Amino acid sequence: MKTYLIDLDGTMYRGNQNIDGAREFIAYCLEKGIPFYFLTNNSSRTRAQNVAHMTALGFQGIEEKHFFTSAMAAARYARKMNIGKKAAYIGMDGLKEALCEEGFELVDEDADAVFIGLDKSADYAKYSKMLKMCLNGAKLIGTNNDRRLAVGDSYDVGNGAIVAMFEYASEQKSPEIGKPYPVILNEALETFGLKKEEVILIGDNLETDIALGYTQNVETILVLGGVHGREDVERLHIIPDHIVESLYECMK
Ligand SMILES: [Mg+2]
């Protein structure tokens, strides 16, 4: 039996809206003893906040152990780089929690590493403060490279666009952590004691969820109704192993 690594936004829910079949699929996995984890580029929520968000949407049986985020991947990856313990960051509680869990000391100046996760309230002064630390030798580490963030029927600026701004200003290159890059997958597999051939990636986005599986030889399921449709498979030439209209189709 394979372990599902499931995307959150667009696959389990859309913002604060339920997606038909998602709650039922999780209930099915729990009932059948099918293991699953959530693999998300969203660095903003802590594990507890993720549990609360999904519970409020009517999911049952979700626990903190089920989540692996780009913030957790970035913190683990950076800890192994041995770049020092002092971290400054732009981001929300999820990134803060991940950094503390990996033993980083949070500082406002003289950081060894500057982490960039999404914080919609960050301003020019804060960006400039982080840039200064990067110019003084702190390593730039973005949690994910999402170009845009789907909001309603349009988009906001994604964290990847902000990371790109820092790369340009600091003349550094951030490591690539979130989906579709393999770091988040490898850190998750290591954390959960799994191998690539033991997992299936489920997601709504060809360019992140499915591309990760496609390039890393991991089985994938594209769930329609999110970012991409069937017509995009040909256009982008990112080929899922399976395509389903909804997660109801995975319950048999
Ligand atoms: Mg998604």
Side-chain angles (χ1 to χ4, degrees), residues 11 32-33 47 63 74 81 129 161 188 205 207 215 217 247 250:
T11 304
K32 300 284 181 193
R47 287 190 178 88
E63 297 178 55
M81 287 168 73
K129 189 174 176 180
N205 189 321
E207 292 176 295
T215 58
N217 292 314
L247 286 170
C250 299

Side-chain angles (χ1 to χ4, degrees), residues 7 9-11 204 209:
D7 174 54
D9 214 332
T11 304
D204 67 308
D209 308 311

Side-chain angles (χ1 to χ4, degrees), residues 2 41 46 57 68 71-72 81 87-88 101 110 117 123 135 143 148 167 170 173 187 194 198 202 207 211 222 232 243:
K2 287 196 177 185
N41 274 4
T46 63
L57 286 170
F68 197 83
M72 292 158 67
M81 287 168 73
E101 279 179 357
D110 301 326
D123 61 11
L135 294 174
T143 60
R148 295 182 285 265
E167 288 181 327
S170 69
K173 178 94 179 84
E187 295 298 338
L194 292 165
E198 295 172 331
I202 301 183
E207 292 176 295
L222 175 71
D232 298 310
I243 302 178

Side-chain angles (χ1 to χ4, degrees), residues 146-218:
D146 294 16
R147 208 175 257 132
R148 295 182 285 265
L149 189 67
V151 175
D153 55 5
S154 185
Y155 295 94
D156 282 350
V157 173
N159 190 55
I162 297 166
V163 172
M165 174 187 79
F166 273 98
E167 288 181 327
Y168 189 64
S170 69
E171 298 179 65
Q172 286 192 41
K173 178 94 179 84
S174 165
E176 289 155 327
I177 306 282
K179 296 180 281 185
Y181 299 101
V183 170
I184 188 168
L185 174 68
N186 292 333
E187 295 298 338
L189 293 177
E190 196 179 283
T191 298
F192 300 128
L194 292 165
K195 299 190 183 80
K196 282 180 186 179
E197 55 272 26
E198 295 172 331
V199 299
I200 301 177
L201 284 159
I202 301 183
D204 67 308
N205 189 321
L206 287 167
E207 292 176 295
T208 55
D209 308 311
I210 306 305
L212 174 58
Y214 192 55
T215 58
Q216 300 301 308
N217 292 314
V218 171

